[in-house]
Amino acid sequence: MHEYRITQRIIEIAEQQAKQSDSELVTQVTLVVGDNSGLVADSIVLYFDIIAKGSMCESAALIIKRIKPKLKCKKCGVLFERKPFSFSCISDGCDGEGEPTEIGNEFYVESIEVS
Amino acid sequence: MSKIAHETRFDKMLLLKGDKMKEDTRKIEIMEAVNARNEEIAAKLNQLLSDKGVFTINVMGAPGAGKTTSLVNMIQRLDRKCFVIEGDIESDIDTKKLHALGIETVQINTGGACHLDSPLIEGSIRSFELEEGYLFIENIGNLVCPAEFAIGEHIKLLISSVTEGSDKPYKYPLAFEKADIILLNKTDLIEHIDFDEDSFLQGVRRLNPCAPVFRVSGKSGIGFKEVSEWIIKKASSCLNR
């Protein structure tokens, strides 16, 4: 729902960085988006082209690296993806339960390419 | 034959263009969180509120969970002056209710945005002459986005009501994971609906082993004495009262 404003901010960050490096054009923006960040990658893609019109990012390719959330087993320490309605560890023979980690909450601009 | 030659020339042109592009293109590492600006303002706000002795509570919950009714119940039982910022997409219905009770309240209408952010709060707190006490910020009714944005609060208080169903921690984990205190509201209705309390509590505990869960009823006021005592204690330790 708030992807429009967030996408405006992504373009601002890219433009600021490009200007600081005396570049005229942003050719690529690489974004890291965790599935638990609450932001829908497809919506960002949709808004990016609309908002980037007339900006330094107008012809930039948007690369989104999606990260699946992982729980960490309190017993054996393994990181694993949660199954719906379950927190049970997936390791063979382990009856532990996973707790939330920061993996999957990421939301940052990793890099840009400029020319 | 001519077609192949054309394609080759075309490929060469592309290659040449590609090489030139590569020479001209530079990569800049950024690693900047898109919400960094919101977090910076939230940290400044938190400092300001702490300095003024205002313990600030970000109240989250789905539409109809009973956020405003719970606010009134808590405010009536707290030991210091309370201020409220009401966040809604539209209307000032809740603000009018709180004004009628003599509670100093400022309304924010986001006009569509699904959560409050720290610049909005920064603007709103200027309307108050803040003094030592409590500030409740009632976030937009939504179990998703409000959990993602810090707004200068000391704690996040989540209200989940039995009428929403016991599967909410499983379906909306982030709000439960981030909460410092959880109220299970409308427990006076529990006998009339299918609410699996064990399943609810199990889901909460696996996401959040620390946050206390209080059974309350906004209608009757049951449970809010204990909630308010917990808030008073938490404020004392947070602000060295």
Side-chain angles (χ1 to χ4, degrees), chain A residues 1-10 38-44 47 51, chain B residues 114:
Chain A
M1 279 164 99
H2 42 255
E3 280 77 3
Y4 186 88
R5 267 164 72 176
I6 289 288
T7 311
Q8 281 178 319
R9 180 66 194 140
I10 293 164
L39 292 146
V40 182
D42 288 347
S43 294
I44 297 170
Y47 287 129
I51 300 168
Chain B
C114 48

Side-chain angles (χ1 to χ4, degrees), chain A residues 1-2 5-6 9 12 17 21 23 37-38 82 87 97 100 107-115, chain B residues 24-35 37 114-115 117 145 148-149 170 174 177 206-207:
Chain A
M1 279 164 99
H2 42 255
R5 267 164 72 176
I6 289 288
R9 180 66 194 140
E12 263 176 46
Q17 293 287 336
S21 67
S23 307
S37 68
R82 182 168 78 89
F87 291 82
E97 283 181 345
F107 188 56
Y108 57 91
V109 181
E110 186 183 74
S111 64
I112 56 169
E113 285 187 18
V114 292
S115 64
Chain B
D24 291 347
T25 306
R26 284 172 298 137
K27 186 174 178 178
I28 303 170
E29 297 289 334
I30 299 180
M31 306 298 283
E32 181 174 338
V34 180
N35 292 334
R37 201 163 59 179
C114 48
H115 63 276
D117 58 20
C145 320
E148 297 154 25
F149 294 85
Y170 303 90
L174 195 66
E177 191 186 317
R206 286 162 187 176
L207 291 163

Side-chain angles (χ1 to χ4, degrees), chain A residues 29-96:
Chain A
V29 178
T30 303
L31 202 62
V32 177
V33 183
D35 282 0
N36 260 3
S37 68
L39 292 146
V40 182
D42 288 347
S43 294
I44 297 170
V45 172
L46 174 79
Y47 287 129
F48 189 84
D49 286 345
I50 300 167
I51 300 168
K53 258 187 194 148
S55 79
M56 291 168 80
C57 297
E58 181 157 10
S59 54
L62 179 64
I63 309 290
I64 296 187
K65 295 182 181 174
R66 288 180 63 173
I67 311 273
K68 288 265 174 212
K70 286 194 174 158
L71 299 178
K72 187 177 182 182
C73 177
K74 286 190 245 184
K75 208 166 182 181
C76 73
V78 75
L79 290 166
F80 63 97
E81 284 176 29
R82 182 168 78 89
K83 287 181 186 159
F85 293 91
S86 165
F87 291 82
S88 304
C89 180
I90 54 158
S91 292
D92 282 341
C94 179
D95 60 354

Side-chain angles (χ1 to χ4, degrees), chain B residues 10 28 42 50 60 73 107 112 122 162 167-168 173 185 209 234:
Chain B
F10 187 60
I28 303 170
S50 299
M60 309 182 300
N73 273 291
Q107 179 74 48
E122 194 180 34
V162 297
D167 54 6
K168 291 300 159 288
N185 194 19
K234 190 78 181 171

